[in-house]
Amino acid sequence: MRKRRTAPPLPMDRGVGPTRVRMPGPGAPDPVLVSLGSLPATAVSYVTQRFPDSAEWFADEVTAGHVRSDDGAVVTPSSPYVPGASVWFHRPIPDDDAAPVTLDVLYEDEWIIAVDKPHGLCSTPNGENVRRSAVVAGRVQFANDEISALHRLDRSTGGVLLLCKRREDRGAFHKMFEERSVSKTYWAVASLNDRVGAEPVRVESRINKTQGELQAREDPGEVNAITDIRLLTSFSDTAGEWGLYEVRPLTGRTHQIRVHMTSLGLPLRGDKLYPVPREDFDVEDPDNPMQLIARSMTFVHPMTGESMTIDSRLTPSSHAAVAG
């Protein structure tokens, strides 16, 4: 039986949930416990030693009464260290002064909201991108702190993103993705070559992504990533000759489309990470976004049984005339 998660004792702050720090038990391979050789006397002592760069800030939050225990009680400087218990608090929001994000709604019903995620916006809170994420923007825009993303799009990818309205409904929709019963179609802009034409080309390989490494890679071994790619049309501009490709991933590995397009000699226009990472790979360029759009998503609605397709309104910025 899955253990029920502890409900946060603090509310959302502008769509951002509180941080939880759990106190490990005796013998845990925790660096703080290993360095001390025993359990700390207080919860505050543990947190400040675990996060020394934030120790002064955290002590001020405790003094102000902003830190809570699992049961909602205020944590004080003398609150004892209890193995297995947690303390909860709100970290400073890095992009607190960022302009608010308004999501374009493509579809909405009792259970879900489908939005067009803009290029350059994270799907979920991540690092320095907290408020500037689709989930947090959705919680604020729709006044619903339970909103969550049912899948993810890379920050550099725009297009259809499904959000779930209620916590208790997530399982039914997650099951669609786990069972690969969701059909996704992307538009990609890349150069032209003789390896991909009007007839679909299937790319099959094994893609792995190691935590801490920028790029995913293709390794020998059993296939875990399959993508169908075909050329829809070609066009030219001042930068050269380009193709608009329809891409259908049949699996969902990290960076799968970018890796497979690159393997065909067709890295995406505006991609700063493939084939070779640029120095400014983590800086989004609104005037030249990566040309990859989650164009449509087809699935059977688990609550209604209706077969439905949701289409993005985004178009490749370098070839907007193909819209529709």
Side-chain angles (χ1 to χ4, degrees):
M1 180 180 296
R2 182 178 293 178
K3 186 177 179 180
R4 189 173 182 179
R5 294 184 64 185
T6 301
L10 290 170
M12 295 276 184
D13 178 8
R14 291 158 291 172
V16 181
T19 295
R20 178 187 188 184
V21 177
R22 189 173 180 273
M23 312 289 128
D30 179 85
V32 173
L33 300 191
V34 171
S35 65
L36 292 176
S38 62
L39 299 181
T42 66
V44 172
S45 175
Y46 173 78
V47 176
T48 54
Q49 291 183 74
R50 181 172 171 181
F51 305 105
D53 292 343
S54 301
E56 184 176 351
W57 170 85
F58 184 74
D60 290 341
E61 290 294 288
V62 171
T63 301
H66 295 164
V67 182
R68 302 300 175 96
S69 61
D70 290 325
D71 61 3
V74 174
V75 172
T76 69
S78 61
S79 295
Y81 181 98
V82 179
S86 301
V87 295
W88 302 76
F89 51 91
H90 281 287
R91 287 185 177 275
I93 300 175
D95 49 3
D96 191 47
D97 295 330
V101 175
T102 300
L103 301 171
D104 182 17
V105 177
L106 304 172
Y107 170 84
E108 181 175 4
D109 62 25
E110 179 181 345
W111 303 276
I112 58 174
I113 304 173
V115 301
D116 248 341
K117 186 189 81 65
H119 293 282
L121 185 72
C122 292
S123 295
T124 58
N126 180 23
E128 294 298 307
N129 300 283
V130 178
R131 294 189 69 199
R132 289 198 59 79
S133 63
V135 165
V136 172
R139 288 171 180 169
V140 174
Q141 181 174 336
F142 308 118
N144 180 356
D145 286 341
E146 291 193 26
I147 281 179
S148 62
L150 291 168
H151 61 109
R152 293 191 183 191
L153 296 176
D154 289 345
R155 181 177 67 168
S156 298
T157 304
V160 181
L161 180 70
L162 287 189
L163 305 176
C164 190
K165 288 184 171 182
R166 293 192 298 266
R167 186 177 294 108
E168 62 266 26
D169 297 329
R170 295 173 190 170
F173 290 94
H174 279 149
K175 189 175 181 181
M176 299 190 311
F177 294 94
E178 291 170 356
E179 296 179 346
R180 297 181 182 175
S181 60
V182 179
S183 176
K184 303 176 185 177
T185 300
Y186 289 74
W187 274 352
V189 174
S191 58
L192 298 164
N193 64 25
D194 58 4
R195 299 180 68 180
V196 182
E199 293 299 317
V201 171
R202 175 161 291 186
V203 184
E204 300 183 5
S205 68
R206 181 170 188 82
I207 293 179
N208 292 316
K209 175 73 165 61
T210 300
Q211 186 174 3
E213 294 183 359
L214 297 178
Q215 294 182 318
R217 65 185 183 278
E218 291 182 290
D219 291 332
E222 183 180 354
V223 168
N224 65 2
I226 304 172
T227 309
D228 288 340
I229 304 167
R230 71 185 181 100
L231 178 66
L232 293 178
T233 188
S234 60
F235 64 98
S236 61
D237 60 18
T238 56
E241 299 287 329
W242 303 96
L244 175 68
Y245 297 86
E246 179 185 81
V247 184
R248 295 179 179 269
L250 305 183
T251 52
R253 310 302 298 183
T254 299
H255 295 178
Q256 177 175 319
I257 292 174
R258 300 162 78 174
V259 170
H260 278 170
M261 289 290 288
T262 299
S263 74
L264 292 170
L266 299 171
L268 302 181
R269 185 172 184 174
D271 191 350
K272 295 183 176 183
L273 196 54
Y274 294 89
V276 178
R278 289 172 38 173
E279 289 186 4
D280 62 344
F281 74 90
D282 59 344
V283 179
E284 296 295 327
D285 183 355
D287 296 324
N288 184 31
M290 185 178 74
Q291 295 296 281
L292 183 62
I293 294 171
R295 170 62 181 169
S296 68
M297 181 178 294
T298 299
F299 57 93
V300 175
H301 199 299
M303 301 303 190
T304 67
E306 176 187 3
S307 179
M308 57 191 308
T309 297
I310 300 173
D311 293 321
S312 170
R313 297 191 185 105
L314 298 180
T315 61
S317 62
S318 60
H319 195 48
V322 302

